[in-house]
Short mmCIF file of all heavy atoms in Angstrom, two decimals:
data_model
loop_
_atom_site.label_atom_id
_atom_site.label_comp_id
_atom_site.label_asym_id
_atom_site.label_seq_id
_atom_site.Cartn_x
_atom_site.Cartn_y
_atom_site.Cartn_z
N HIS A 1 -2.14 12.79 16.49
CA HIS A 1 -0.75 12.32 16.39
C HIS A 1 -0.12 12.71 15.06
O HIS A 1 1.05 13.09 15.01
CB HIS A 1 -0.69 10.80 16.57
CG HIS A 1 0.69 10.25 16.46
ND1 HIS A 1 1.62 10.40 17.47
CD2 HIS A 1 1.31 9.58 15.48
CE1 HIS A 1 2.74 9.84 17.11
NE2 HIS A 1 2.59 9.33 15.90
N PHE A 2 -0.87 12.59 14.01
CA PHE A 2 -0.34 12.94 12.68
C PHE A 2 -0.69 14.36 12.27
O PHE A 2 -0.55 14.73 11.11
CB PHE A 2 -0.84 11.95 11.63
CG PHE A 2 -0.22 10.59 11.76
CD1 PHE A 2 -0.94 9.53 12.21
CD2 PHE A 2 1.13 10.41 11.47
CE1 PHE A 2 -0.37 8.28 12.33
CE2 PHE A 2 1.71 9.17 11.60
CZ PHE A 2 0.97 8.10 12.03
N HIS A 3 -1.16 15.17 13.21
CA HIS A 3 -1.46 16.58 13.00
C HIS A 3 -2.49 16.77 11.88
O HIS A 3 -2.46 17.75 11.16
CB HIS A 3 -0.19 17.38 12.70
CG HIS A 3 0.91 17.12 13.67
ND1 HIS A 3 0.86 17.54 14.97
CD2 HIS A 3 2.08 16.45 13.54
CE1 HIS A 3 1.95 17.13 15.59
NE2 HIS A 3 2.71 16.48 14.75
N LEU A 4 -3.40 15.82 11.77
CA LEU A 4 -4.46 15.92 10.77
C LEU A 4 -5.66 16.67 11.31
O LEU A 4 -6.48 17.18 10.54
CB LEU A 4 -4.87 14.53 10.30
CG LEU A 4 -3.80 13.70 9.62
CD1 LEU A 4 -4.30 12.30 9.32
CD2 LEU A 4 -3.29 14.38 8.36
N SER A 5 -5.78 16.76 12.63
CA SER A 5 -6.94 17.45 13.21
C SER A 5 -6.86 18.96 12.99
O SER A 5 -7.88 19.65 13.10
CB SER A 5 -7.04 17.14 14.71
OG SER A 5 -5.83 17.49 15.37
N ASP A 6 -5.68 19.45 12.66
CA ASP A 6 -5.51 20.89 12.42
C ASP A 6 -5.85 21.28 10.99
O ASP A 6 -5.91 22.47 10.67
CB ASP A 6 -4.06 21.30 12.71
CG ASP A 6 -3.63 20.96 14.11
OD1 ASP A 6 -4.52 20.91 15.00
OD2 ASP A 6 -2.43 20.74 14.34
N LEU A 7 -6.06 20.31 10.12
CA LEU A 7 -6.29 20.59 8.71
C LEU A 7 -7.74 21.03 8.46
O LEU A 7 -8.65 20.58 9.15
CB LEU A 7 -6.01 19.35 7.86
CG LEU A 7 -4.58 18.85 7.83
CD1 LEU A 7 -4.50 17.56 7.03
CD2 LEU A 7 -3.65 19.89 7.24
N PRO A 8 -7.94 21.85 7.44
CA PRO A 8 -9.31 22.15 7.00
C PRO A 8 -9.96 20.87 6.47
O PRO A 8 -9.28 19.90 6.12
CB PRO A 8 -9.14 23.17 5.88
CG PRO A 8 -7.73 23.65 5.97
CD PRO A 8 -6.95 22.63 6.70
N ALA A 9 -11.27 20.87 6.41
CA ALA A 9 -12.01 19.66 6.06
C ALA A 9 -11.61 19.08 4.70
O ALA A 9 -11.46 17.87 4.56
CB ALA A 9 -13.51 19.96 6.07
N HIS A 10 -11.41 19.92 3.71
CA HIS A 10 -11.06 19.39 2.39
C HIS A 10 -9.66 18.78 2.36
O HIS A 10 -9.42 17.79 1.69
CB HIS A 10 -11.25 20.45 1.29
CG HIS A 10 -10.25 21.55 1.31
ND1 HIS A 10 -10.27 22.57 2.23
CD2 HIS A 10 -9.17 21.78 0.51
CE1 HIS A 10 -9.26 23.38 2.00
NE2 HIS A 10 -8.57 22.94 0.97
N LEU A 11 -8.70 19.36 3.09
CA LEU A 11 -7.36 18.78 3.15
C LEU A 11 -7.34 17.50 3.99
O LEU A 11 -6.58 16.58 3.69
CB LEU A 11 -6.37 19.80 3.70
CG LEU A 11 -6.09 21.00 2.80
CD1 LEU A 11 -5.11 21.96 3.49
CD2 LEU A 11 -5.56 20.55 1.46
N LEU A 12 -8.17 17.46 5.02
CA LEU A 12 -8.29 16.24 5.80
C LEU A 12 -8.86 15.10 4.95
O LEU A 12 -8.37 13.96 5.00
CB LEU A 12 -9.20 16.46 7.01
CG LEU A 12 -9.49 15.23 7.87
CD1 LEU A 12 -8.23 14.65 8.46
CD2 LEU A 12 -10.48 15.58 8.96
N ALA A 13 -9.84 15.40 4.12
CA ALA A 13 -10.42 14.39 3.24
C ALA A 13 -9.38 13.90 2.23
O ALA A 13 -9.32 12.70 1.93
CB ALA A 13 -11.63 14.96 2.51
N ILE A 14 -8.54 14.78 1.73
CA ILE A 14 -7.49 14.40 0.79
C ILE A 14 -6.48 13.49 1.48
O ILE A 14 -6.06 12.46 0.94
CB ILE A 14 -6.82 15.65 0.18
CG1 ILE A 14 -7.78 16.34 -0.78
CG2 ILE A 14 -5.53 15.28 -0.54
CD1 ILE A 14 -7.30 17.70 -1.25
N ALA A 15 -6.08 13.85 2.70
CA ALA A 15 -5.10 13.04 3.43
C ALA A 15 -5.67 11.66 3.76
O ALA A 15 -4.98 10.65 3.61
CB ALA A 15 -4.70 13.76 4.72
N GLN A 16 -6.93 11.60 4.16
CA GLN A 16 -7.55 10.31 4.45
C GLN A 16 -7.70 9.46 3.20
O GLN A 16 -7.46 8.25 3.22
CB GLN A 16 -8.91 10.52 5.13
CG GLN A 16 -8.80 11.06 6.52
CD GLN A 16 -10.14 11.45 7.10
OE1 GLN A 16 -11.07 11.83 6.38
NE2 GLN A 16 -10.26 11.37 8.42
N ALA A 17 -8.06 10.09 2.10
CA ALA A 17 -8.17 9.36 0.83
C ALA A 17 -6.82 8.82 0.38
O ALA A 17 -6.73 7.71 -0.14
CB ALA A 17 -8.77 10.27 -0.25
N ARG A 18 -5.77 9.60 0.59
CA ARG A 18 -4.43 9.15 0.21
C ARG A 18 -4.01 7.93 1.03
O ARG A 18 -3.44 6.98 0.50
CB ARG A 18 -3.43 10.30 0.37
CG ARG A 18 -2.05 9.97 -0.15
CD ARG A 18 -1.09 11.16 -0.06
NE ARG A 18 -1.01 11.68 1.29
CZ ARG A 18 -1.32 12.91 1.64
NH1 ARG A 18 -1.72 13.78 0.74
NH2 ARG A 18 -1.23 13.31 2.89
N ILE A 19 -4.32 7.94 2.32
CA ILE A 19 -3.96 6.82 3.19
C ILE A 19 -4.68 5.53 2.75
O ILE A 19 -4.08 4.48 2.68
CB ILE A 19 -4.26 7.16 4.66
CG1 ILE A 19 -3.27 8.22 5.16
CG2 ILE A 19 -4.22 5.92 5.53
CD1 ILE A 19 -3.62 8.79 6.53
N VAL A 20 -5.95 5.66 2.40
CA VAL A 20 -6.70 4.49 1.95
C VAL A 20 -6.23 4.04 0.58
O VAL A 20 -6.02 2.86 0.33
CB VAL A 20 -8.23 4.81 1.93
CG1 VAL A 20 -9.01 3.69 1.28
CG2 VAL A 20 -8.72 5.07 3.34
N THR A 21 -6.04 4.98 -0.32
CA THR A 21 -5.70 4.67 -1.70
C THR A 21 -4.32 4.05 -1.84
O THR A 21 -4.12 3.15 -2.68
CB THR A 21 -5.82 5.93 -2.58
OG1 THR A 21 -7.13 6.46 -2.43
CG2 THR A 21 -5.54 5.63 -4.02
N LEU A 22 -3.36 4.48 -1.03
CA LEU A 22 -2.01 3.91 -1.14
C LEU A 22 -2.01 2.41 -0.87
O LEU A 22 -1.28 1.66 -1.53
CB LEU A 22 -1.07 4.62 -0.18
CG LEU A 22 -0.54 5.96 -0.67
CD1 LEU A 22 0.19 6.68 0.45
CD2 LEU A 22 0.37 5.76 -1.86
N TRP A 23 -2.83 1.96 0.05
CA TRP A 23 -2.90 0.52 0.31
C TRP A 23 -3.51 -0.20 -0.88
O TRP A 23 -3.01 -1.26 -1.29
CB TRP A 23 -3.71 0.25 1.57
CG TRP A 23 -3.66 -1.19 1.95
CD1 TRP A 23 -2.73 -1.78 2.73
CD2 TRP A 23 -4.57 -2.21 1.55
NE1 TRP A 23 -2.98 -3.12 2.84
CE2 TRP A 23 -4.13 -3.42 2.12
CE3 TRP A 23 -5.69 -2.24 0.76
CZ2 TRP A 23 -4.76 -4.62 1.93
CZ3 TRP A 23 -6.35 -3.45 0.57
CH2 TRP A 23 -5.88 -4.62 1.16
N LEU A 24 -4.57 0.37 -1.44
CA LEU A 24 -5.23 -0.28 -2.58
C LEU A 24 -4.32 -0.32 -3.80
O LEU A 24 -4.28 -1.33 -4.53
CB LEU A 24 -6.54 0.43 -2.91
CG LEU A 24 -7.63 0.30 -1.83
CD1 LEU A 24 -8.78 1.25 -2.13
CD2 LEU A 24 -8.10 -1.12 -1.72
N VAL A 25 -3.59 0.75 -4.05
CA VAL A 25 -2.64 0.77 -5.17
C VAL A 25 -1.51 -0.25 -4.92
O VAL A 25 -1.10 -0.96 -5.83
CB VAL A 25 -2.07 2.19 -5.38
CG1 VAL A 25 -0.90 2.18 -6.34
CG2 VAL A 25 -3.17 3.12 -5.88
N GLY A 26 -1.05 -0.33 -3.69
CA GLY A 26 -0.04 -1.32 -3.36
C GLY A 26 -0.55 -2.75 -3.59
O GLY A 26 0.17 -3.58 -4.12
N ALA A 27 -1.79 -3.00 -3.20
CA ALA A 27 -2.36 -4.34 -3.43
C ALA A 27 -2.50 -4.63 -4.92
O ALA A 27 -2.25 -5.74 -5.38
CB ALA A 27 -3.71 -4.45 -2.73
N LEU A 28 -2.88 -3.61 -5.68
CA LEU A 28 -3.01 -3.77 -7.12
C LEU A 28 -1.66 -4.06 -7.77
O LEU A 28 -1.55 -4.94 -8.63
CB LEU A 28 -3.64 -2.51 -7.73
CG LEU A 28 -3.80 -2.49 -9.25
CD1 LEU A 28 -4.89 -3.48 -9.65
CD2 LEU A 28 -4.14 -1.11 -9.72
N LEU A 29 -0.62 -3.38 -7.33
CA LEU A 29 0.71 -3.58 -7.90
C LEU A 29 1.39 -4.83 -7.33
O LEU A 29 2.33 -5.34 -7.94
CB LEU A 29 1.58 -2.35 -7.66
CG LEU A 29 1.12 -1.06 -8.34
CD1 LEU A 29 2.01 0.09 -7.95
CD2 LEU A 29 1.08 -1.24 -9.84
N GLY A 30 0.94 -5.30 -6.18
CA GLY A 30 1.55 -6.47 -5.57
C GLY A 30 1.30 -7.75 -6.37
O GLY A 30 2.12 -8.67 -6.35
N VAL A 31 0.19 -7.81 -7.07
CA VAL A 31 -0.11 -9.00 -7.87
C VAL A 31 0.90 -9.17 -9.00
O VAL A 31 1.53 -10.21 -9.11
CB VAL A 31 -1.58 -8.96 -8.39
CG1 VAL A 31 -1.84 -10.12 -9.32
CG2 VAL A 31 -2.53 -8.99 -7.21
N PRO A 32 1.12 -8.16 -9.87
CA PRO A 32 2.13 -8.37 -10.92
C PRO A 32 3.55 -8.45 -10.36
O PRO A 32 4.41 -9.07 -10.96
CB PRO A 32 1.97 -7.17 -11.84
CG PRO A 32 1.17 -6.18 -11.11
CD PRO A 32 0.40 -6.90 -10.06
N LEU A 33 3.79 -7.83 -9.20
CA LEU A 33 5.11 -7.95 -8.59
C LEU A 33 5.38 -9.39 -8.13
O LEU A 33 6.51 -9.87 -8.23
CB LEU A 33 5.22 -7.01 -7.39
CG LEU A 33 6.50 -7.11 -6.56
CD1 LEU A 33 7.66 -6.51 -7.36
CD2 LEU A 33 6.36 -6.41 -5.25
N GLY A 34 4.34 -10.08 -7.69
CA GLY A 34 4.51 -11.44 -7.24
C GLY A 34 4.73 -12.44 -8.36
O GLY A 34 5.30 -13.52 -8.12
N MET A 35 4.30 -12.12 -9.55
CA MET A 35 4.44 -13.09 -10.65
C MET A 35 5.88 -13.47 -10.94
O MET A 35 6.19 -14.67 -11.01
CB MET A 35 3.76 -12.54 -11.90
CG MET A 35 2.26 -12.58 -11.84
SD MET A 35 1.58 -11.95 -13.38
CE MET A 35 -0.02 -11.44 -12.81
N PRO A 36 6.81 -12.52 -11.14
CA PRO A 36 8.18 -12.95 -11.40
C PRO A 36 8.83 -13.63 -10.20
O PRO A 36 9.67 -14.52 -10.35
CB PRO A 36 8.92 -11.66 -11.77
CG PRO A 36 8.03 -10.54 -11.42
CD PRO A 36 6.65 -11.07 -11.27
N VAL A 37 8.45 -13.21 -8.99
CA VAL A 37 9.01 -13.85 -7.79
C VAL A 37 8.56 -15.31 -7.73
O VAL A 37 9.35 -16.21 -7.46
CB VAL A 37 8.59 -13.09 -6.51
CG1 VAL A 37 9.06 -13.80 -5.28
CG2 VAL A 37 9.14 -11.66 -6.54
N CYS A 38 7.27 -15.55 -8.03
CA CYS A 38 6.75 -16.92 -8.02
C CYS A 38 7.38 -17.77 -9.10
O CYS A 38 7.74 -18.92 -8.86
CB CYS A 38 5.24 -16.92 -8.21
SG CYS A 38 4.32 -16.60 -6.73
N SER A 39 7.50 -17.24 -10.28
CA SER A 39 8.03 -18.03 -11.38
C SER A 39 9.52 -18.32 -11.21
O SER A 39 10.00 -19.37 -11.62
CB SER A 39 7.77 -17.35 -12.73
OG SER A 39 8.44 -16.12 -12.79
N ARG A 40 10.23 -17.41 -10.57
CA ARG A 40 11.67 -17.63 -10.42
C ARG A 40 12.02 -18.44 -9.16
O ARG A 40 12.88 -19.32 -9.21
CB ARG A 40 12.39 -16.29 -10.36
CG ARG A 40 13.87 -16.48 -10.15
CD ARG A 40 14.65 -15.29 -10.51
NE ARG A 40 16.04 -15.61 -10.24
CZ ARG A 40 17.04 -15.17 -10.88
NH1 ARG A 40 16.81 -14.35 -11.89
NH2 ARG A 40 18.26 -15.48 -10.57
N PHE A 41 11.38 -18.15 -8.06
CA PHE A 41 11.75 -18.77 -6.78
C PHE A 41 10.74 -19.80 -6.26
O PHE A 41 11.04 -20.50 -5.30
CB PHE A 41 11.96 -17.69 -5.71
CG PHE A 41 13.04 -16.72 -6.06
CD1 PHE A 41 12.73 -15.41 -6.42
CD2 PHE A 41 14.38 -17.10 -6.04
CE1 PHE A 41 13.72 -14.51 -6.76
CE2 PHE A 41 15.37 -16.20 -6.38
CZ PHE A 41 15.04 -14.91 -6.74
N GLY A 42 9.56 -19.84 -6.83
CA GLY A 42 8.56 -20.79 -6.38
C GLY A 42 7.54 -20.18 -5.43
O GLY A 42 7.71 -19.07 -4.94
N ARG A 43 6.49 -20.95 -5.18
CA ARG A 43 5.37 -20.44 -4.38
C ARG A 43 5.74 -20.21 -2.93
O ARG A 43 5.31 -19.25 -2.31
CB ARG A 43 4.20 -21.42 -4.45
CG ARG A 43 3.60 -21.55 -5.82
CD ARG A 43 2.51 -22.55 -5.81
NE ARG A 43 2.98 -23.79 -5.23
CZ ARG A 43 2.81 -24.98 -5.75
NH1 ARG A 43 2.15 -25.10 -6.87
NH2 ARG A 43 3.26 -26.06 -5.16
N LYS A 44 6.53 -21.11 -2.37
CA LYS A 44 6.89 -20.98 -0.96
C LYS A 44 7.66 -19.68 -0.69
O LYS A 44 7.31 -18.93 0.22
CB LYS A 44 7.72 -22.18 -0.53
CG LYS A 44 8.24 -22.11 0.89
CD LYS A 44 9.08 -23.33 1.18
CE LYS A 44 9.96 -23.13 2.38
NZ LYS A 44 10.84 -24.28 2.61
N TRP A 45 8.64 -19.39 -1.51
CA TRP A 45 9.43 -18.18 -1.31
C TRP A 45 8.65 -16.93 -1.64
O TRP A 45 8.84 -15.87 -1.05
CB TRP A 45 10.73 -18.25 -2.09
CG TRP A 45 11.64 -19.26 -1.51
CD1 TRP A 45 11.96 -20.49 -2.02
CD2 TRP A 45 12.33 -19.17 -0.25
NE1 TRP A 45 12.80 -21.15 -1.18
CE2 TRP A 45 13.06 -20.37 -0.07
CE3 TRP A 45 12.40 -18.19 0.74
CZ2 TRP A 45 13.83 -20.60 1.04
CZ3 TRP A 45 13.19 -18.43 1.84
CH2 TRP A 45 13.89 -19.61 2.00
N CYS A 46 7.73 -17.04 -2.59
CA CYS A 46 6.87 -15.90 -2.92
C CYS A 46 5.93 -15.59 -1.74
O CYS A 46 5.70 -14.42 -1.42
CB CYS A 46 6.09 -16.19 -4.19
SG CYS A 46 5.13 -14.78 -4.79
N LEU A 47 5.41 -16.64 -1.12
CA LEU A 47 4.55 -16.43 0.04
C LEU A 47 5.33 -15.83 1.20
O LEU A 47 4.85 -14.93 1.89
CB LEU A 47 3.91 -17.76 0.45
CG LEU A 47 2.72 -17.69 1.39
CD1 LEU A 47 1.63 -16.83 0.79
CD2 LEU A 47 2.18 -19.06 1.69
N LEU A 48 6.57 -16.28 1.39
CA LEU A 48 7.40 -15.69 2.43
C LEU A 48 7.77 -14.24 2.09
O LEU A 48 7.83 -13.38 2.98
CB LEU A 48 8.67 -16.52 2.62
CG LEU A 48 8.47 -17.87 3.30
CD1 LEU A 48 9.75 -18.69 3.26
CD2 LEU A 48 7.99 -17.69 4.72
#
């Protein structure tokens, strides 16, 4: 579906690593992003 089966093995590995890593980087950055939201709007709105 994402036309990854046509890629050579090394480019497929890079694409798969990027997909996994983007989530982990987002989770890492989500913690400091949540701090100002929590302190300004409270826990309930931060959770929402």
Side-chain angles (χ1 to χ4, degrees):
H1 179 75
F2 289 109
H3 311 291
L4 298 175
S5 57
D6 303 333
L7 295 176
H10 71 285
L11 292 178
L12 175 62
I14 290 170
Q16 290 172 331
R18 187 176 55 239
I19 289 171
V20 172
T21 304
L22 280 170
W23 187 87
L24 293 170
V25 169
L28 178 70
L29 296 176
V31 174
L33 174 72
M35 286 181 204
V37 175
C38 278
S39 63
R40 178 162 179 148
F41 299 108
R43 295 178 307 229
K44 176 181 162 184
W45 290 107
C46 187
L47 196 57
L48 288 172

